[in-house]
């Protein structure tokens, strides 16, 4: 089971389309890896990011189509991942809510952090059991913050340092 929520990622992408200024805000870092579990989302994020870098503040369906027109491989991948691509893009351009950006952002980044920890060999079952029921695990994860996860791992690191770090200056 992937540690990824397509619906939340959709809403985050839709919100970014409504206001690309979020991408320039260093307080809320995002990258394509946040959307990598679903290639279609990664491609849409790359389109949004490219348009934002070129000064587009609010992205319409046609803007995404123009970017994809110049990337036949990405367009082909999108068509493979999304059955009704036009309908999907229309829905995406209409979804999202800027007032909920922090919620969408936090949920997507939390899952990215857990995927990254898992990729690096850490046991993340305290926060999310990839072998458990997705709905149960997603609900459990909603009560946990990114800060909760980071504090836990800092505590583990601190405990290890106290137990094993030796003062080599003596």
């Amino acid at each position: 089971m992937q540690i990824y929520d397509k619906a939340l990622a959709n809403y985050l992408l839709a919100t970014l389309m409504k206001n690309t200024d979020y991408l320039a805000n260093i307080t809320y870092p995002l990258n394509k890896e946040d959307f990598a579990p679903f290639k279609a989302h990664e491609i849409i994020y790359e389109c949004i990011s490219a348009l934002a870098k070129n000064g587009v503040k609010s992205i319409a369906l046609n803007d995404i189509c123009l970017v994809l027109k110049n990337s036949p491989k990405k367009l082909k991948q999108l068509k493979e991942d999304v059955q009704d691509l036009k309908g999907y893009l229309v829905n995406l351009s209409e979804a999202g809510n800027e007032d909920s950006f922090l919620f969408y952002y936090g949920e997507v980044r939390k899952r990215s952090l857990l995927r990254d920890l898992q990729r690096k060999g850490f046991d993340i079952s305290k926060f999310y059991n990839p072998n458990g029921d997705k709905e149960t695990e997603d609900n459990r994860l909603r009560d946990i913050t990114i800060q909760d996860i980071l504090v836990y791992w800092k505590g583990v690191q601190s405990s290890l340092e106290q137990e094993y770090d030796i003062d080599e200056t003596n």
Side-chain angles (χ1 to χ4, degrees):
M1 166 176 57
Q2 280 281 3
I3 307 169
Y4 192 70
D5 188 315
K6 284 184 184 179
L8 288 167
N10 264 335
Y11 287 124
L12 179 57
L13 290 168
T15 302
L16 293 173
M17 287 176 68
K18 290 177 190 254
N19 184 352
T20 63
D21 286 341
Y22 290 118
L23 290 173
N25 189 333
I26 60 172
T27 305
Y28 308 112
L30 283 168
N31 60 64
K32 69 181 187 174
E33 293 302 314
D34 293 313
F35 303 97
F38 186 50
K39 193 68 175 167
H41 285 169
E42 183 179 351
I43 292 167
I44 297 295
Y45 172 79
E46 288 175 327
C47 292
I48 294 168
S49 184
L51 289 161
K53 286 177 183 169
N54 284 298
V56 179
K57 298 291 184 193
S58 179
I59 297 172
L61 171 63
N62 291 339
D63 299 322
I64 297 286
C65 292
L66 286 173
V67 173
L68 290 172
K69 181 179 166 188
N70 296 322
S71 302
K73 285 182 183 178
K74 289 180 181 179
L75 182 57
K76 182 180 181 223
Q77 179 69 52
L78 264 176
K79 287 180 178 178
E80 289 173 9
D81 288 351
V82 179
Q83 289 184 352
D84 177 15
L85 182 58
K86 184 178 180 183
Y88 170 74
L89 291 173
V90 167
N91 288 339
L92 190 63
S93 67
E94 294 171 355
N97 176 355
E98 284 190 63
D99 292 336
S100 298
F101 170 78
L102 290 177
F103 172 71
Y104 305 145
Y105 173 83
E107 292 297 312
V108 168
R109 288 292 285 181
K110 188 185 332 178
R111 286 163 175 77
S112 292
L113 171 59
L114 290 173
R115 287 193 309 274
D116 199 23
L117 285 166
Q118 185 179 45
R119 209 174 13 255
K120 292 176 178 170
F122 291 91
D123 177 9
I124 60 164
S125 61
K126 177 175 177 52
F127 304 104
Y128 194 94
N129 179 359
N131 299 317
D133 175 67
K134 181 162 177 46
E135 185 177 340
T136 301
E137 294 304 313
D138 283 345
N139 287 335
R140 185 167 71 110
L141 191 55
R142 288 225 168 82
D143 294 331
I144 299 167
T145 67
I146 289 173
Q147 197 61 33
D148 292 336
I149 298 167
L150 294 174
V151 165
Y152 172 79
W153 287 109
K154 286 177 186 176
V156 169
Q157 178 184 353
S158 177
S159 173
L160 290 170
E161 286 175 352
Q162 288 175 3
E163 187 170 342
Y164 296 102
D165 195 18
I166 56 173
D167 186 359
E168 295 180 7
T169 59
N170 292 333

